[in-house]
Amino acid sequence: MAGLLGLVAAIAFTYWPRAQQPAFYFAITMRSDLPGFARLYYDTPSTLDGSGFVRLPIQGGNAEVTYKFPLTDGRYANLRFEPTDQSHNTLVLSRARIVDRGDTLLRAIPPHQITASSELDQFRVSETQVTLTTSAARDHPLLIMELGDPVILRNAAEASVRTLLRRFVVAFVISFTVACLMVSLLLSKVGPARWRPRGVANWIPAHPSQVVWATAALSVILSCYPIVFFGKSFLSPNNHSHTFLLYGEMPTVPGATQATTDDEKGADLGAALWYSWPTSVVESRSLLKDFELPLWNRYDSCGVPLLGQGQSMFGDPLHLLVLLTNGSVGWWDLKYLLAKLLFAACVGLCVLQLTRHLPAAIITAASAAFIGFFSYRYNHPAFFSLCYAPAIFLCWVKLKDSAGHRKTAAWLAALVLANWCLINSGTVKD
């Protein structure tokens, strides 16, 4: 039965319609004196993000770079392009074209088909390139790129056999494992004794807390699989378009080549790199190099208190992982994962304690890691404040049902520790 359920779930996941990588792009080679952002406005009803345009960061320093703006399916008569958002900026544009995912040329746009619809200090067209300089009054120049005959873009590509096989294998392994747990639990409750698997079916009801922890761990791994398996990071500079570190333009760190950033949708994705990560480095150096408490941050605003303003995370036990490794980004990622594990497990254990219903606790623990908060407050310090909060509630419900002085004292101590962790989680205001 578990195999059948896993097979059905894997087939459904494999062939379920999903968003794919854009099949078409507007590509253009540009040289810009100043860094900034360029926008391509869509002339079709369908858009990628609902705002009618797509934005990419542009390098400065007069470096020649080719940029590719995704195009949605549709009929295009022209393209409206804003090459910079900076005033007094000189740009050189060349090789404008529409290509597919494999860089196959679909339509070339020669320079004489590019016109300016806003006032510029300079706009010069040659046989191979367009040179323009923005004015102080109008720092958002809009160019119209005529296509001649309309271009109709339609993506008929399907996933390859290798992609479908990979989806099926991953989905089957996960769904089969979950189905085995659920079927074993069901048989242990309602099935005849001769059909009950003696191993798992006997162990699960006898160890409900461990089952909840295991479910929470699997849920966290699935929700954070790019960090766990593919080398991504909660503290990537590419999370935010203005997270400037060593350099004041993208890419912001030595050796980086990617300048593409996520659309943060108003979320404060820069807080961790603007404050939490640098503060952890200051604290680590103070402890391990100078052998003193980090009472003062001399690197911020000519000096500000560090241990008295509620954002240092110095008293958080999980923060020791970061402090003992000099603010290592990898250990920051581990801290995020462990905090999320604590959140999912404590929520599931609260349900288990209040209802004594293991399936409900498993479902809660499995879904807790996917709440919308983690998608919006992706790496904000408030992440940790939320993750510690269920631990306080768990201590209270455990206290309510505890029998004997020792268990009561143990859960009282755990309650103090949970509150201590929450207060030192970095966002006391939250």
Side-chain angles (χ1 to χ4, degrees), residues 268-331:
D268 189 3
L269 300 185
L273 285 174
W274 286 328
Y275 190 84
S276 299
W277 173 69
T279 298
S280 70
V281 176
V282 172
E283 294 170 345
S284 181
R285 289 177 180 176
S286 177
L287 290 173
L288 304 181
K289 182 178 179 181
D290 300 323
F291 304 105
E292 60 184 22
L293 287 176
L295 301 176
W296 191 258
N297 182 3
R298 69 190 70 178
Y299 303 103
D300 185 357
S301 305
C302 297
V304 294
L306 184 58
L307 289 191
Q309 35 66 28
Q311 294 182 340
S312 67
M313 303 185 188
F314 189 77
D316 182 0
L318 287 180
H319 202 55
L320 289 175
L321 298 172
V322 177
L323 297 185
L324 295 178
T325 55
N326 197 29
S328 167
V329 172
W331 287 95

Side-chain angles (χ1 to χ4, degrees), residues 158-209:
E158 297 181 354
S160 64
V161 175
R162 179 181 298 179
T163 300
L164 294 175
L165 182 60
R166 182 175 65 250
R167 291 176 185 171
F168 177 82
V169 171
V170 173
F172 180 77
V173 171
I174 295 174
S175 57
F176 178 73
T177 303
V178 175
C180 284
L181 293 175
M182 299 304 295
V183 169
S184 298
L185 180 62
L186 181 63
L187 290 177
S188 68
K189 296 294 184 180
V190 300
R194 65 178 180 272
W195 293 104
R196 295 178 185 174
R198 295 182 179 180
V200 177
N202 293 333
W203 184 86
I204 289 178
H207 303 84
S209 298

Side-chain angles (χ1 to χ4, degrees), residues 242-269:
H242 293 85
T243 307
F244 300 138
L245 299 177
L246 184 60
Y247 308 132
E249 58 182 293
M250 298 296 293
T252 65
V253 292
T257 57
Q258 295 291 330
T260 304
T261 58
D262 287 337
D263 183 359
E264 61 271 17
K265 304 294 185 184
D268 189 3
L269 300 185

